[in-house]
Amino acid sequence: AQSVTQPDIHITVSEGASLELRCNYSYGATPYLFWYVQSPGQGLQLLLKYFSGDTLVQGIKGFEAEFKRSQSSFNLRKPSVHWSDAAEYFCAVGDPQAAGNKLTFGGGTRVLVKP
Amino acid sequence: SQTIHQWPATLVQPVGSPLSLECTVEGTSNPNLYWYRQAAGRGLQLLFYSVGIGQISSEVPQNLSASRPQDRQFILSSKKLLLSDSGFYLCAWTPGPSRGYTFGSGTRLTVV
């Protein structure tokens, strides 16, 4: 079964600074990969996804992520953080071969933005 | 366009009482449907998923059950709530494996 690790539980970044959130997965082949964002008390919103092709994917809200097969990673980046980016971010992995199109989520990284 | 509705938004229930949370999807047919629970400060735990009417797969044995009486309706139930059932419950749907999930706005359940 696949697994997902987000090594950083909390990250604090200054507004305007760059942000990188780490995601490592365990899976035998190339999985489907996703990043979601969750504001407090809300559901999750899809930021971006990767399942094939160009390993650098662009998403909404100025986010991008890079798939690195050799490192089993799918890190999320944003060049300049806005105060509204304060939220919790989840990386998720989907197994293309598994029934039910299930996703496995990482434990999340909470991002705090300093003024 | 497709939308997902989940209700109620918040719920406070006494221990031992029943539970029914409802999720409906509009604008699509035959979606895959999911119930996740998010405990405080933790990630998401898949509880149930369904690939069709009456087809329910349970991921974690526990005090909850799920049903899918109609194509776009997914219900999470319990006969007797436990304190440990408290959490944030999220419904989600997807049309296919590479599309990712669309989540509802969640239900905050507090069992007292």
Side-chain angles (χ1 to χ4, degrees), chain A residues 18-60:
Chain A
S18 63
L19 174 68
E20 181 167 13
L21 304 182
R22 296 184 289 165
C23 173
N24 294 98
Y25 67 89
S26 173
Y27 182 68
T30 299
Y32 296 137
L33 295 161
F34 307 87
W35 274 100
Y36 287 86
V37 61
Q38 184 182 33
S39 298
Q42 300 296 315
L44 279 71
Q45 181 183 22
L46 180 65
L47 285 175
L48 47 78
K49 60 185 178 182
Y50 172 82
F51 55 91
S52 68
D54 192 346
T55 57
L56 183 64
V57 293
Q58 303 297 320
I60 62 171

Side-chain angles (χ1 to χ4, degrees), chain A residues 99-100, chain B residues 30-35 48-58 66-71 73-75:
Chain B
N30 198 32
N32 285 1
L33 295 168
Y34 307 85
W35 279 111
F48 302 94
Y49 71 94
S50 172
V51 299
I53 296 175
Q55 300 179 59
I56 307 296
S57 296
S58 174
S67 62
R68 185 170 177 174
Q70 299 180 46
D71 181 43
Q73 183 185 30
F74 204 24
I75 298 172

Side-chain angles (χ1 to χ4, degrees), chain A residues 32 34 36 38 41-44 46 49 51 88 90 99-107, chain B residues 32 34 36 38 43-44 46 49 51 59 88 90 94 96-101 103-105:
Chain A
Y32 296 137
F34 307 87
Y36 287 86
Q38 184 182 33
Q42 300 296 315
L44 279 71
L46 180 65
K49 60 185 178 182
F51 55 91
E88 189 152 23
F90 292 92
N101 303 324
K102 295 180 288 183
L103 294 185
T104 300
F105 287 82
Chain B
N32 285 1
Y34 307 85
Y36 279 84
Q38 189 176 24
L44 284 82
L46 178 61
Y49 71 94
V51 299
E59 289 293 296
F88 192 51
L90 289 159
T94 184
S98 66
R99 300 283 294 275
Y101 292 178
F103 283 86
S105 54

Side-chain angles (χ1 to χ4, degrees), chain B residues 1-87:
Chain B
S1 63
Q2 302 96 353
T3 56
I4 180 169
H5 302 281
Q6 190 179 341
W7 68 92
T10 60
L11 194 58
V12 180
Q13 292 284 95
V15 169
S17 64
L19 173 73
S20 181
L21 303 181
E22 189 161 344
C23 173
T24 60
V25 181
E26 296 178 356
T28 188
S29 60
N30 198 32
N32 285 1
L33 295 168
Y34 307 85
W35 279 111
Y36 279 84
R37 178 168 60 198
Q38 189 176 24
R42 297 190 179 182
L44 284 82
Q45 178 187 38
L46 178 61
L47 302 175
F48 302 94
Y49 71 94
S50 172
V51 299
I53 296 175
Q55 300 179 59
I56 307 296
S57 296
S58 174
E59 289 293 296
V60 183
Q62 55 200 317
N63 187 40
L64 301 169
S65 63
S67 62
R68 185 170 177 174
Q70 299 180 46
D71 181 43
R72 291 168 289 175
Q73 183 185 30
F74 204 24
I75 298 172
L76 183 69
S77 304
S78 173
K79 292 182 179 178
K80 290 185 177 182
L81 284 168
L82 306 172
L83 287 174
S84 58
D85 292 323
S86 293

Side-chain angles (χ1 to χ4, degrees), chain A residues 88-111:
Chain A
E88 189 152 23
Y89 294 79
F90 292 92
C91 181
V93 172
D95 180 351
Q97 309 300 324
N101 303 324
K102 295 180 288 183
L103 294 185
T104 300
F105 287 82
T109 298
R110 185 167 299 277
V111 173

